[in-house]
Amino acid sequence: MQRYPRDMIGYGANPPAANWPNGARIAVQIVLNYEEGGENNVLHGDAASEAFLSEIVGAAQWPGQRHWNMESIYEYGSRAGFWRLHRLMADLPITVYGVATALARSPEQVAAMMDAGWEIASHGLKWIEYKDAPEDVERADMAEAIRLHTEVVGEPPRGWYTGRCSDNTVRLAAETGQFAYVADTYADDVPYWSEFGKTDQLIVPYTLDANDMRFATPQGFNSGTQFFEYLKASFDALYREGGRMLSIGLHCRLIGRPGRVEALRQFIEYAQSQGDVWFATREQIANHWATEHPHQRFVRPSQMGRDQFVQAYGGVFEHSPWIAERAFDLELGPAHDTAVGLQNAFARMFRSASEDERLGVLTAHPDLAGKLAAAKRLTAESTAEQASAGLDALTDSERTEFGAGNMAYTDKFGFPFIIAVRDHDKASIKAAMQSRLSNDRATEFKEACHQVERIALHRLKDMLPR
C-alpha cells in the first residue's frame, strides 16, 4: 500500500479557537537563540570551523583549522549582544533556545536568564548539522544534551529545537517523553499534535521568516527598518485574524548589534501598545494549548489495513465495496483522514471507473420513499438519510406522488432518482425530481453521479471527526 507521511492539511480552513488568556487576540513569542560557544569549532572536537549565520559573506568551513574571525563574531554575541538584549527584554517572558555546550561555557549568561525568569529550552548538544547523522548518534547527542542542560541549568528542558535537524529529529525528541513541546517545524501559526507510535507530541512551530537570521542570508534584511516593518506586518496580519501565534527568532550575535537592536525595541513597543496581546514563553503556550486542545486519537483511514478499511468504508458508496478496495491502493496520507479527503479518494475511483461500473452504483441505490423503505429494508445509512428529509413520514398521497415520479424517472433514464437528501427538504426534493425529468440521459447520468458523491461525503462526515 502507498502511504504519504506528510500532513498537507493541518487544521484546514478553520483552526481551533486558541482561547488565549484574558481574551488576547494574538500570542507573541520571542525566542533568543543562545549558540555562542556551541558552534562548529576544532576546539569543540569538530572537524572544521563554523560557516553559518555570521557577518562574513560567503563564509566557508575551514577543515582542521580555527577561524579566528568567525569565532570573534560568535563571541560578540555572548560578550555584548546577549547583555544588550537582556537589558531590553529582562521584563518579558522570553524562551531561550540554549545549546547545551554553549550554556555550559556561559554561566553568567545562564544566571541572568534564570534571574529574568526566562524559559531555557534545549537547542541540542552542539550547534551543528544533523542531516546526515546516524540515528543512534543523534539519539545519543540528544540524551547528552538533556543531561548537560539539566546539570548546568538545574532542571531538565521542557522544550526542544535542534534547528539544523534530520528527518529523525522530531520523532527522536518525542520518543524521549521529555518535552512539553518540540519546535523543529515551521508548518503552522498555532500549535498542533503529532503522533509517534504511542506518543502524542505537541508541536509548537517556529519561524524562519520573522527571524533575524535573514540579516545573514541572501535577499534577507538589509536594515533594522526592514526587520521592524516585517515584524509589524506579521503582527498586524495575525492580530487581524485572531487566535494566532507570532514567533520571532533572535540571535545574540545578529540582532544584538547596535545597528539592529533598535528595530527590535521599536517592535516590542509597538506590540505592547496594542490591546489584547499575550507575550508568553513557548512552554506557557504549550501548556495552554494542551489544556484547551488535548489530543484525541482516532483510527485513521490511511493507517488501516485493507480488510479493516473496506469493512469500515465499503458501504459509503451504496453496496459498492469495490470503490473502497481501489481507493485503499492509492497514495493515502493524513490529508485523507478527513471526510473531504477520503471522499476525494473514493470519488477518484468512482470517476475513473467504466460507465457500466458507475451505472451499477446508481442502480444499487433505492427509490426515494419506495417499496424498500416501506418494508424497512434500506441500509441504515439510507434509512437515516431519508428520515432526515421527512421521507419516512409521508401521507398516502405524497407516497403515491413519489412513487409515480420514481417510476417515470426510472423508465426514462434506467436508474433510480438519486439525490443527497441532506442538502434538501421534502419540497425541494420533489421540485428537483420534476426538474431533472426534463434532462437528457447524459446530463442526468452526470448529475446522478454527482449526487452519489455528495451522499458519500455526508456519510463520511458522520464517520470521521472532521
Side-chain angles (χ1 to χ4, degrees):
M1 73 180 170
Q2 305 177 67
R3 295 298 176 259
Y4 189 70
R6 297 172 64 198
D7 185 352
M8 306 297 288
I9 186 170
Y11 292 118
N14 299 298
N19 298 324
W20 300 132
N22 301 315
R25 289 191 57 79
I26 187 173
V28 175
Q29 205 297 294
I30 299 175
V31 165
L32 180 60
N33 292 270
Y34 197 85
E35 299 154 353
E36 289 75 11
E39 76 277 13
N40 281 286
N41 191 313
V42 295
L43 295 176
H44 305 159
D46 301 310
S49 62
E50 186 56 72
F52 193 46
L53 294 187
S54 79
E55 306 294 337
I56 302 174
V57 178
Q61 288 191 313
W62 291 5
Q65 299 182 53
R66 293 177 64 184
H67 192 319
W68 190 264
N69 291 345
M70 181 65 72
E71 288 180 21
S72 68
I73 288 173
Y74 272 75
E75 288 160 13
Y76 184 92
S78 63
R79 293 162 56 112
F82 171 81
W83 298 109
R84 181 170 288 122
L85 296 169
H86 183 267
R87 289 190 292 271
L88 173 60
M89 302 189 296
D91 294 332
L92 289 174
I94 301 298
T95 291
V96 176
Y97 285 167
V99 175
T101 50
L103 296 176
R105 295 182 174 110
S106 302
E108 290 197 20
Q109 290 91 335
V110 170
M113 296 171 194
M114 297 177 68
D115 287 345
W118 292 353
E119 176 204 358
I120 308 179
S122 183
H123 198 3
L125 180 63
K126 299 199 291 184
W127 177 231
I128 60 176
E129 182 67 71
Y130 279 92
K131 71 179 180 65
D132 298 320
E135 183 174 326
D136 60 336
V137 171
E138 186 173 7
R139 182 184 289 108
D141 279 5
M142 193 173 287
E144 175 60 13
I146 295 169
R147 186 204 66 77
L148 181 57
H149 182 111
T150 304
E151 187 177 272
V152 171
V153 176
E155 58 185 14
R158 297 290 291 139
W160 180 271
Y161 177 73
T162 295
R164 298 157 85 173
C165 65
S166 75
D167 61 355
N168 297 316
T169 299
V170 177
R171 173 178 57 81
L172 291 174
E175 287 175 354
T176 68
Q178 172 78 40
F179 302 112
Y181 69 91
V182 175
D184 275 293
T185 173
Y186 316 100
D188 217 312
D189 296 313
V190 290
Y192 60 91
W193 293 93
S194 289
E195 297 175 1
F196 299 93
K198 296 182 179 180
T199 300
D200 299 332
Q201 180 62 63
L202 184 64
I203 307 296
V204 180
Y206 188 44
T207 178
L208 296 180
D209 67 311
N211 192 311
D212 68 358
M213 67 174 288
R214 293 181 59 200
F215 282 114
T217 59
Q219 295 192 357
F221 301 121
N222 291 323
S223 69
T225 300
Q226 292 177 342
F227 187 51
F228 167 74
E229 291 294 341
Y230 192 87
L231 294 184
K232 180 179 180 296
S234 300
F235 178 95
D236 290 346
L238 296 174
Y239 187 92
R240 185 176 296 108
E241 292 177 9
R244 304 293 192 268
M245 174 183 71
L246 172 60
S247 287
I248 300 171
L250 306 175
H251 298 77
C252 302
R253 62 193 178 278
L254 296 177
I255 198 67
R257 292 282 176 174
R260 298 171 182 147
V261 73
E262 287 304 309
L264 176 61
R265 182 190 306 277
Q266 187 180 1
F267 172 75
I268 290 172
E269 291 174 352
Y270 173 76
Q272 289 176 327
S273 72
Q274 309 302 304
D276 304 328
V277 179
W278 182 39
F279 283 84
T281 67
R282 297 181 85 76
E283 184 176 12
Q284 288 172 327
I285 288 172
N287 291 340
H288 173 84
W289 200 268
T291 299
E292 289 290 321
H293 302 289
H295 185 52
Q296 296 182 346
R297 288 197 170 209
F298 65 97
V299 180
R300 297 177 178 274
S302 67
Q303 299 303 311
M304 290 180 172
R306 177 180 292 274
D307 290 345
Q308 184 185 16
F309 185 88
V310 176
Q311 177 67 30
Y313 302 110
V316 169
F317 278 69
E318 196 87 2
H319 298 297
S320 303
W322 60 267
I323 294 178
E325 291 169 355
R326 294 181 190 178
F328 181 84
D329 293 327
L330 293 174
E331 185 192 74
L332 301 183
H336 300 97
D337 292 334
T338 69
V340 170
L342 192 56
Q343 190 265 3
N344 180 264
F346 288 166
R348 286 172 58 189
M349 298 299 91
F350 179 56
R351 294 166 190 170
S352 61
S354 68
E355 183 168 335
D356 285 346
E357 288 175 315
R358 285 181 287 154
L359 179 60
V361 174
L362 299 186
T363 57
H365 277 260
D367 289 337
L368 288 182
K371 294 179 179 179
L372 290 178
K376 300 188 183 301
R377 290 172 54 195
L378 297 178
T379 63
E381 293 84 1
S382 291
T383 298
E385 288 157 1
Q386 296 205 20
S388 71
L391 301 184
D392 62 336
L394 299 176
T395 64
D396 289 342
S397 62
E398 286 175 329
R399 192 172 294 106
T400 298
E401 183 180 359
F402 267 105
N406 282 326
M407 183 177 297
Y409 183 95
T410 304
D411 286 345
K412 180 173 181 178
F413 298 115
F415 49 84
F417 175 74
I418 301 170
I419 193 167
V421 295
R422 294 193 188 185
D423 294 333
H424 296 273
D425 57 22
K426 185 164 54 179
S428 66
I429 291 171
K430 288 195 291 184
M433 180 181 284
Q434 291 301 315
S435 173
R436 285 167 54 184
L437 271 169
S438 63
N439 288 337
D440 59 62
R441 190 181 185 282
T443 300
E444 191 53 27
F445 186 87
K446 181 178 179 180
E447 178 61 27
C449 288
H450 170 70
Q451 293 298 321
V452 165
E453 294 178 12
R454 285 290 300 170
I455 291 168
L457 178 61
H458 286 301
R459 291 180 177 179
L460 288 168
K461 285 181 176 180
D462 289 340
M463 302 170 75
L464 289 165
R466 192 180 120 204

